[in-house]
Amino acid sequence: THTLFLYSFLVFQRTMAPLPGSVLLAPSPAGSKYDLMYYLKGSAAGGICCSITHGALCPVDVVKTRVQLDPVKYNSGLIGGMRTIVAEEGAGALATGLGATCFGYFVQGWFKFGGVEFFKIQAATSLGEEKAWANKTYIYLGAAACAEFIADIFLCPLEAIRIRSVSDPEFCDGMVDGFGKILKADGIGGFYAGLAPILAKQIPYTMAKFAVQGEAADKIYASMGKTPDQLSSTANLGVSLTSGVIAGVAAAIISHPADTLLSKINKAGAGGDGPMMTRLMNIAKETGFVNLCTVGLLPRCVMIGSLTAGQFGIFDTVMNALGASKFHFSDPNAK
């Protein structure tokens, strides 16, 4: 717990101050490869990769959210859904919520990727190389859960604005306008109405994403008989992209029911009146378990598979550009 809040405080403190390129490009002091500067570079790379990938896939996310909110109307798949939206509202509707998406996922990526690097390195250092290798899956799972919890506290208000604007295109004229309207209508609580489902969606999703990607990457390297240090940056990028697709599809399937609930809970009037958990239970009963698990799943697998591959590819590229060598678990028996 102390480690979790230490990371939050250090990164938040640095976030509040400008971070010019010269600072992020500065090398770490000799003998301190994984110091605060490394975590800042990891956080910046995480923010950049999440903002770019989520922003690029905003049209897919708009269709996915519409399918989850109104499956009767949007029942013709991803392409059919796009055609319906464009025909009724124009092509610009596919970019609904783009500002909140890019900014929100930059913040989330900052804390998520930076947090995972921080927690896994601290765990590996504490356990030692041999135990860390033997328990790497548990380290990935624990690091991802802690980092995602922190990230979601910051993401939730922006996700509320995005979903409200997608479900009701007339709701607001941008992120700032949406923020003001939700604050005026529902108070601070309006931004966190979806916190429980976003945690239920994002934490298992991120745990699966990092654990599966790490395991898939290790298997790929093992099949090649190489370590990351022995391969070119292009070859390592290929491993990141391939393992990212595998991890993205697995994570999408695991987290899809909670993603559907999150989309529905932010729709005005969804689930009736009463406490949030009561509303969530009402929505789950109305929707049905099978629909929770399957409605909108295909576009989400396409979106998350592409998004996750892109995230790991961009993350590694930005880390290299910033002069940071990404941490990898190493098998002590392979030396």
Side-chain angles (χ1 to χ4, degrees):
T1 304
H2 291 104
T3 303
L4 179 69
F5 284 101
L6 173 62
Y7 168 76
S8 303
F9 174 76
L10 288 174
V11 175
F12 182 76
Q13 185 182 49
R14 286 301 184 102
T15 307
M16 293 300 100
L19 286 173
S22 58
V23 174
L24 286 176
L25 289 171
S28 297
S32 56
K33 184 177 181 181
Y34 301 117
D35 59 355
L36 181 59
M37 183 56 64
Y38 173 84
Y39 300 125
L40 286 171
K41 290 176 179 180
S43 297
I48 291 168
C49 76
C50 287
S51 181
I52 290 173
T53 52
H54 278 277
L57 287 170
C58 184
V60 178
D61 204 25
V62 168
V63 176
K64 173 192 69 74
T65 303
R66 294 286 184 92
V67 169
Q68 291 171 324
L69 294 173
D70 192 353
V72 176
K73 179 177 180 180
Y74 300 98
N75 62 357
S76 53
L78 177 62
I79 302 301
M82 284 187 176
R83 288 173 176 167
T84 300
I85 292 170
V86 171
E88 294 184 356
E89 304 170 36
L94 293 175
T96 302
L98 180 60
T101 296
C102 290
F103 182 71
Y105 281 96
F106 179 87
V107 174
Q108 190 221 28
W110 176 281
F111 286 99
K112 175 160 64 178
F113 277 83
V116 168
E117 289 300 305
F118 177 82
F119 291 121
K120 75 178 182 183
I121 291 172
Q122 295 304 308
T125 302
S126 177
L127 291 173
E129 186 178 49
E130 187 171 344
K131 286 186 177 179
W133 175 259
N135 295 281
K136 60 180 179 174
T137 299
Y138 298 110
I139 294 174
Y140 273 124
L141 292 172
C146 292
E148 187 61 50
F149 179 83
I150 296 170
D152 288 345
I153 300 300
F154 294 92
L155 173 66
C156 195
L158 293 148
E159 187 72 349
I161 296 170
R162 183 193 69 81
I163 292 176
R164 190 74 68 87
S165 62
V166 170
S167 63
D168 180 7
E170 304 298 322
F171 174 69
C172 64
D173 295 322
M175 183 176 68
V176 175
D177 183 44
F179 186 92
K181 287 185 175 179
I182 291 178
L183 183 64
K184 182 177 180 180
D186 305 318
I188 295 296
F191 294 109
Y192 289 96
L195 181 60
I198 204 173
L199 290 174
K201 176 189 96 168
Q202 287 294 133
I203 290 179
Y205 159 75
T206 302
M207 292 170 71
K209 169 179 166 177
F210 281 94
V212 173
Q213 191 273 338
E215 186 64 26
D218 287 341
K219 294 294 186 186
I220 295 171
Y221 284 122
S223 70
M224 300 168 67
K226 301 285 186 179
T227 65
D229 293 338
Q230 296 172 328
L231 294 175
S232 66
S233 58
T234 302
N236 281 320
L237 178 60
V239 173
S240 294
L241 293 173
T242 303
S243 58
V245 170
I246 297 169
V249 173
I253 293 170
I254 289 170
S255 62
H256 190 67
D259 183 67
T260 302
L261 285 175
L262 176 63
S263 293
K264 290 181 177 294
I265 193 68
N266 281 295
K267 186 177 181 180
D273 299 323
M276 181 171 59
M277 292 308 298
T278 300
R279 293 174 60 203
L280 288 171
M281 290 297 294
N282 291 340
I283 292 171
K285 290 176 182 176
E286 292 168 5
T287 307
F289 179 75
V290 173
N291 287 334
L292 278 177
C293 295
T294 59
V295 172
L297 180 60
L298 180 58
R300 188 157 193 266
C301 283
V302 172
M303 174 185 169
I304 300 300
S306 305
L307 180 147
T308 305
Q311 283 181 357
F312 282 109
I314 295 170
F315 179 81
D316 288 358
T317 301
V318 174
M319 288 288 277
N320 288 333
L322 294 175
S325 179
K326 183 181 174 182
F327 173 86
H328 291 277
F329 291 102
S330 57
D331 183 358
N333 298 319
K335 293 181 179 178

